[in-house]
Amino acid sequence: MRKFTKEWWASLRPEVAGKETETLVQDVLKVANNHANFAWHRLPDAKAARGAMAAQPADYMFRFGEIAGFLEVKALKHDYRLPASRLSQLPVLNKWALAGNQNYVLINHYMIGQWRIINTAELEFGVPSWDLRDYEVYATPGEALKVKGIIP
């Protein structure tokens, strides 16, 4: 079974699919880091620390020129739905947005090989899940990040 095929993704446990997705995103961020006006940082994973630290707002923080924010990365088996339970830090991200951050959730819909990126301020509170069909899809994480002006 070849890595990154639909069959390979389907064979992974959800937490492994998440780690593989984060690796794909980190590879893009590392390349972007070659630009002097771009910086990023991987925030510690509170779940992996088993309660030794407070939950973080997102997986990454970034700065590109005048744009700064948090980036949360999700791997979803579903083609277009994001369960609200998978984005429990939304209130914190929106608080940071009120302070000037541009915060995004970058979603790998791995069963269809498409990515979506959504500004977290656009996600409504109090719903069980979000239907993402109205959001543009991208072939790669780099394409999605570049369209939103997050990377050079």
Side-chain angles (χ1 to χ4, degrees), residues 8-49:
W8 179 79
W9 282 109
S11 73
L12 300 179
R13 293 187 324 274
E15 63 273 10
V16 176
K19 291 295 176 200
E20 291 289 343
T21 295
E22 286 177 6
T23 298
L24 291 171
V25 172
Q26 271 189 211
D27 290 346
V28 171
L29 296 174
K30 286 176 184 175
V31 171
N33 207 44
N34 290 327
H35 293 264
N37 63 343
F38 176 80
W40 68 282
H41 178 72
R42 172 71 166 107
L43 296 168
D45 188 344
K47 188 182 284 185

Side-chain angles (χ1 to χ4, degrees), residues 89-131:
Q89 66 271 56
L90 184 60
V92 173
L93 290 170
N94 285 345
K95 171 68 173 154
W96 279 93
L98 291 172
N101 264 19
Q102 294 290 317
N103 304 313
Y104 293 91
V105 58
L106 178 61
I107 303 159
N108 176 11
H109 297 281
Y110 56 84
M111 294 305 292
I112 58 172
Q114 295 180 331
W115 294 76
R116 285 186 172 92
I117 187 163
I118 295 127
N119 187 313
T120 59
E122 297 175 19
L123 298 173
E124 182 183 345
F125 283 109
V127 297
S129 66
W130 296 281
D131 183 335

